[in-house]
Amino acid sequence: MHGRPRKAPKPEDEAASSAKAQKLRALQTQFFTFHHNKIYTKEAVELSAKLLEINPESYTAWNYRKLAVEHYLNLPDCNPDSIKSVLDDELRVVENALRQNFKSYGAWHHRKWVLSKGHSSIDNELRLLDKFQKADSRNFHAWNYRRYVAESMKRSEQDELKYAEDMIYTNFSNYSAWHNRSVLLSALFEKKAGGFLLKEKVLPEEYEFIHQAIFTDPDDQSGWFYHLWLLDQTVTTDSPLLASSWPGHGSDVLLVGDRCYNGSAFSPFSALHSDSGSFPIVLYFNQPVGGVNSSTVTVECGFNKNEDLFWKPLSASNSQTARVWVAHLKVPSSDLHSTVEVSVGHSKGIISTRGFVYSHPSMFSFKVHVQPMERDSSQVSVAENISLREENFKVYGTQSEESIIDSFDQLIIKNGHETTASNWRFEALAKEIECFRELLSLVDCKIGKLTLARLLKAYDAMSYPFANKLVHSEEVLELYSDLMKLDPTHYQFYKDEHSIVLLQKVTSSKESLLQHCFQYKVSASSAICDPICLRLNNLSLSRMGAFEKLLWVQMLDLSHNELQSIEGLEAMQLLSCLSLRNNKLRSLTALEPLRKLKSLRILDISYNQIGDQSIDTTRYVCSSPLSHSVGSELNRDETVTSDVALINNWEAFFIFKDFNLNQLDIVGNTIADEKFKSVLVKIMPKLKQLDGKLLD
């Protein structure tokens, strides 16, 4: 273990181990007799102490001693002196156990429980901790207990910061000391205490402090973790903000009943087909929030009441907090031209998962145009196969390009608060970028390259609202490409980060976005009506991102990539046509985000890896919180259990039962045999085409 060669035990060691085991078994047998019979005599309690001295991890023995203490404290003749004596005995037992194993969870928890009784002096605890922390300065049990003791003694955070600093100077590799420093500073920032009111004063000094550790030993990870925490403190705004919305501010939404309007007066970003007589309003926050409802978000229009709107979180884990919230605004079936104003956060109640209140109210408005059209069945061909292949697209003309460019600025909310970046944040990041470029010029350091990539990415994210471009995206992509070669063990992590940066680059400007926007061929189908198709195919993407800039997309081509997860796609509430052809999706549960896309009618998941593994490993390795929510809403009254085929394909049932697909392609997956296809037809009665074949 830990690089030490295994040695064969000596005969005398085996004999000693056998004797110890025999003694332990005898003690345990006698102890359990006392415990089961609730015997708390002096002899019984002393026996439990002997057992714990040999095996400090005996949780049952610690719990027995708690019961024994409560028994003595509830005796009629119990007085303050006897209480103190009983609790002091407990502290001595804990100390003896810790001498055997000072990383014993049970011992540290029991000591904390004894002190919580309030009859013991806490003054001796720091002296005891000094002994254990000298024996192992990185023992996180002792550091956790120290925080409890310091709080109980009302010891100042500044004094504890000084202690952590001394421990760091003793050993730069003391991860627990660095972690304790981050905990203390976080508490001070939250309290806004004294000189710690301003992060701009403290964080630059902390960067200088951490440089001493990093430059002393670039291969030690402790300092790098602390630097990552500092970076997060630098770029993260406490108060949540509204990052984007659909419809965008100042946009015109054209809603047509059965067929979309193809006129040039309206932007293809906002021309929308709807069978339900409603359309979604999507709010995308920069961090998960709760409390979004008709009180905290008001929608004013002439055709619907704000109180009738139900705001729903698009949360993977079915919680009541999410980055993305949606409500569906119903519109009348007659001709309509109306302005809609949406106010977010003018009434308090929106709170982030970190406990911060939404304190920067936002407002956006858009115009709604309703144009009812009667269905002409002679013009609608349900047999038409919608295929996102190269030959079915054409480049937009000049007039269409202008409409896209004019609409691009409407996609992002313009926040005029401290969103983004005070000067000190820019200066701190610029200084760190210069520092790490200098380090990498002297030494080839993988984690240094990763840190530089994170710094450049953070700098671009903060400056983007002002610069309208990502200055360092090419350099960041090159750094992640280098890391994939230098550190193949963590290849997938670097690949995912590379994919996110690439998508941010693609969506960062009108020009780069336009290169991926194509016009689908003229179609008679009511499902597809000459919209923009965003083609992000053949980009070697392994992870999706930049969703706040993709809320407008109705057709999306993600074919021929390397996606194993599509988490986050649920934010794209307008999606009606999606191609995931030729990716690396390995299970049906990977499709769960699509359940929340109520407008999805056409789906291509052909030539993935669904069914290659007999066990859906994502449900156990927890690569996504989505993997645990499938089937959680099971209604026991459902009659699905009467169908054996559906019982054997319960995951398919829960994934596809809420879909309103007209067309599905699943060929090329191991699971896609004729038996499984017949199950899909049962689950989705509205399905018209399966793998290009018209269903009866």
Side-chain angles (χ1 to χ4, degrees):
M1 186 177 181
H2 301 298
R4 298 177 183 176
R6 185 183 296 275
K7 296 180 180 180
K10 298 178 181 179
E12 56 268 27
D13 294 335
E14 288 185 336
S17 178
S18 177
K20 182 179 178 180
Q22 187 175 359
K23 181 181 178 181
L24 181 60
R25 282 195 293 270
L27 282 172
Q28 285 178 330
T29 301
Q30 195 173 0
F31 162 73
F32 282 120
T33 299
F34 291 144
H35 183 34
H36 292 155
N37 292 289
K38 299 181 180 180
I39 298 173
Y40 304 119
T41 62
K42 183 178 181 181
E43 178 190 2
V45 174
E46 286 178 353
L47 185 136
S48 69
K50 292 178 183 178
L51 176 60
L52 287 166
E53 191 171 337
I54 298 174
N55 179 20
E57 296 305 312
S58 178
Y59 292 100
T60 305
W62 289 118
N63 289 332
Y64 168 81
R65 293 194 68 87
K66 288 182 176 68
L67 294 172
V69 169
E70 295 291 355
H71 170 77
Y72 283 119
L73 296 186
N74 290 325
L75 291 176
D77 58 347
C78 188
N79 57 60
D81 290 338
S82 60
I83 292 175
K84 186 177 185 307
S85 176
V86 168
L87 296 178
D88 285 347
D89 283 342
E90 291 304 302
L91 294 177
R92 279 192 291 272
V93 170
V94 172
E95 191 169 342
N96 290 334
L98 288 173
R99 286 196 178 97
Q100 295 298 318
N101 178 15
F102 52 76
K103 293 186 178 180
S104 169
Y105 285 89
W108 287 110
H109 283 300
H110 193 72
R111 194 169 188 88
K112 188 183 293 186
W113 178 81
V114 173
L115 290 181
S116 70
K117 292 294 181 180
H119 296 277
S120 304
S121 172
I122 204 167
D123 297 335
N124 184 53
E125 297 307 298
L126 289 182
R127 289 192 293 272
L128 178 68
L129 280 167
D130 285 339
K131 293 179 182 178
F132 287 115
Q133 290 184 307
K134 285 179 181 177
D136 182 0
S137 62
R138 294 180 290 186
N139 182 358
F140 70 88
H141 299 275
W143 282 98
N144 285 338
Y145 185 69
R146 185 181 185 90
R147 284 191 285 274
Y148 169 77
V149 170
E151 184 179 355
S152 300
M153 295 177 65
K154 303 198 180 303
R155 183 174 160 89
S156 71
E157 284 91 347
Q158 287 85 346
D159 288 342
E160 284 299 288
L161 273 174
K162 181 64 171 62
Y163 178 82
E165 184 175 325
D166 291 341
M167 296 294 284
I168 289 169
Y169 275 123
T170 302
N171 179 9
F172 276 142
S173 187
N174 192 335
Y175 175 81
S176 294
W178 286 114
H179 172 68
N180 199 56
R181 191 170 183 84
S182 69
V183 171
L184 292 166
L185 285 174
S186 295
L188 286 166
F189 290 149
E190 188 173 343
K191 292 179 181 178
K192 303 189 184 324
F196 295 90
L197 173 64
L198 302 175
K199 285 185 177 181
E200 54 262 45
K201 175 184 176 182
V202 178
L203 293 182
E205 294 175 355
E206 289 299 302
Y207 278 121
E208 292 294 332
F209 183 41
I210 195 61
H211 289 167
Q212 299 177 55
I214 289 175
F215 279 79
T216 299
D217 184 4
D219 292 327
D220 183 77
Q221 295 188 13
S222 301
W224 293 104
F225 280 113
Y226 187 71
H227 189 278
L228 180 60
W229 177 80
L230 289 177
L231 177 59
D232 181 67
Q233 293 296 309
T234 303
V235 302
T236 303
T237 55
D238 291 336
S239 177
L241 297 167
L242 185 63
S244 66
S245 70
W246 195 91
H249 179 60
S251 62
D252 289 272
V253 178
L254 176 63
L255 195 68
V256 183
D258 286 312
R259 286 185 291 141
C260 291
Y261 180 75
N262 295 323
S264 59
F266 292 91
S267 165
F269 275 78
S270 53
L272 182 66
H273 165 74
S274 173
D275 290 324
S276 61
S278 67
F279 66 92
I281 300 177
V282 184
L283 304 178
Y284 196 106
F285 295 89
N286 68 339
Q287 55 186 284
V289 299
V292 177
N293 51 51
S294 58
S295 297
T296 56
V297 178
T298 58
V299 179
E300 295 184 4
C301 59
F303 55 86
N304 205 334
K305 294 182 179 179
N306 178 64
E307 292 76 13
D308 296 334
L309 290 179
F310 174 70
W311 289 95
K312 182 179 180 181
L314 298 179
S315 170
S317 58
N318 295 326
S319 72
Q320 291 304 303
T321 60
R323 278 190 173 215
V324 190
W325 288 75
V326 62
H328 285 82
L329 188 64
K330 292 184 178 180
V331 295
S333 57
S334 56
D335 284 336
L336 173 71
H337 301 278
S338 179
T339 298
V340 179
E341 292 187 353
V342 182
S343 298
V344 182
H346 288 82
S347 298
K348 291 184 178 180
I350 299 177
I351 302 176
S352 73
T353 53
R354 298 165 59 206
F356 292 99
V357 176
Y358 186 90
S359 56
H360 300 301
S362 303
M363 190 277 289
F364 61 94
S365 62
F366 53 91
K367 294 181 180 179
V368 178
H369 307 265
V370 178
Q371 184 174 340
M373 296 182 67
E374 295 183 1
R375 178 183 294 272
D376 184 352
S377 58
S378 65
Q379 295 182 7
V380 179
S381 173
V382 296
E384 182 182 2
N385 182 35
I386 305 300
S387 176
L388 302 187
R389 302 291 181 86
E390 197 72 39
E391 62 271 15
N392 295 329
F393 293 97
K394 60 182 179 180
V395 179
Y396 271 103
T398 305
Q399 185 176 8
S400 298
E401 287 184 11
E402 291 176 356
S403 68
I404 294 176
I405 291 174
D406 290 341
S407 302
F408 183 84
D409 290 332
Q410 299 172 349
L411 301 178
I412 304 297
I413 297 291
K414 305 295 184 182
N415 288 299
H417 328 293
E418 193 230 355
T419 60
T420 51
S422 349
N423 289 334
W424 75 268
R425 299 179 190 270
F426 277 119
E427 292 172 2
L429 288 179
K431 191 173 181 179
E432 289 302 293
I433 290 170
E434 181 182 355
C435 178
F436 282 96
R437 280 180 172 155
E438 180 183 350
L439 174 65
L440 292 174
S441 69
L442 300 174
V443 59
D444 189 13
C445 175
K446 289 182 292 188
I447 197 167
K449 285 192 173 185
L450 176 59
T451 301
L452 179 59
R454 286 168 169 164
L455 287 165
L456 293 170
K457 183 180 173 183
Y459 189 92
D460 277 358
M462 292 174 65
S463 60
Y464 172 72
F466 310 105
N468 284 325
K469 61 180 179 179
L470 302 179
V471 179
H472 300 105
S473 58
E474 287 296 338
E475 184 178 357
V476 176
L477 290 171
E478 185 178 346
L479 284 167
Y480 281 123
S481 296
D482 289 345
L483 285 166
M484 282 186 264
K485 299 173 185 176
L486 292 172
D487 187 12
T489 305
H490 301 100
Y491 174 88
Q492 193 59 52
F493 170 78
Y494 302 132
K495 179 67 175 174
D496 290 349
E497 294 298 310
H498 185 280
S499 298
I500 290 175
V501 175
L502 180 59
L503 283 172
Q504 289 172 340
K505 179 187 175 185
V506 167
T507 59
S508 65
S509 69
K510 308 165 187 177
E511 294 75 19
S512 62
L513 184 66
L514 190 60
Q515 294 177 17
H516 296 271
C517 292
F518 292 83
Q519 185 175 6
Y520 191 74
K521 66 180 181 180
V522 176
S523 169
S525 170
S526 63
I528 300 296
C529 323
D530 197 25
I532 297 172
C533 180
L534 182 64
R535 304 199 70 200
L536 301 175
N537 57 319
N538 290 299
L539 294 179
S540 190
L541 299 175
S542 63
R543 184 179 172 187
M544 286 296 294
F547 294 107
E548 70 276 11
K549 301 172 187 175
L550 302 177
L551 302 181
W552 54 275
V553 177
Q554 297 182 53
M555 295 183 71
L556 179 62
D557 183 4
L558 291 171
S559 63
H560 297 278
N561 282 299
E562 300 174 19
L563 294 171
Q564 298 181 30
S565 168
I566 52 173
E567 184 179 352
L569 211 66
E570 64 271 12
M572 301 173 65
Q573 287 290 295
L574 303 187
L575 267 185
S576 61
C577 183
L578 172 64
S579 175
L580 292 166
R581 183 184 181 91
N582 285 101
N583 275 278
K584 294 183 178 181
L585 300 176
R586 297 176 179 175
S587 65
L588 291 172
T589 54
L591 303 174
E592 189 172 3
L594 304 184
R595 297 174 63 204
K596 301 181 185 295
L597 301 180
K598 302 305 180 184
S599 298
L600 191 63
R601 297 293 179 267
I602 299 168
L603 175 63
D604 186 350
I605 52 174
S606 58
Y607 299 99
N608 276 271
Q609 300 173 7
I610 302 174
D612 283 4
Q613 297 175 333
S614 58
I615 297 177
D616 179 3
T617 55
T618 60
R619 299 179 64 79
Y620 302 98
V621 299
C622 302
S623 61
S624 163
L626 302 175
S627 59
H628 286 288
S629 56
V630 177
S632 60
E633 75 281 26
L634 172 64
N635 182 352
R636 295 185 179 183
D637 295 330
E638 289 190 73
T639 58
V640 63
T641 53
S642 62
D643 192 316
V644 176
L646 295 185
I647 292 174
N648 295 332
N649 294 275
W650 67 271
E651 285 187 332
F653 174 77
F654 281 108
I655 291 295
F656 288 103
K657 72 182 180 68
D658 295 326
F659 283 8
N660 291 310
L661 295 179
N662 296 327
Q663 178 180 317
L664 173 65
D665 291 279
I666 196 171
V667 67
N669 290 281
T670 303
I671 200 173
D673 55 19
E674 292 303 317
K675 187 176 181 180
F676 183 75
K677 291 179 183 179
S678 66
V679 170
L680 291 179
V681 173
K682 286 184 180 181
I683 296 172
M684 295 180 288
K686 294 183 180 180
L687 196 64
K688 303 299 181 184
Q689 291 186 42
L690 181 59
D691 289 336
K693 297 180 180 179
L694 185 65
L695 299 175
D696 296 333

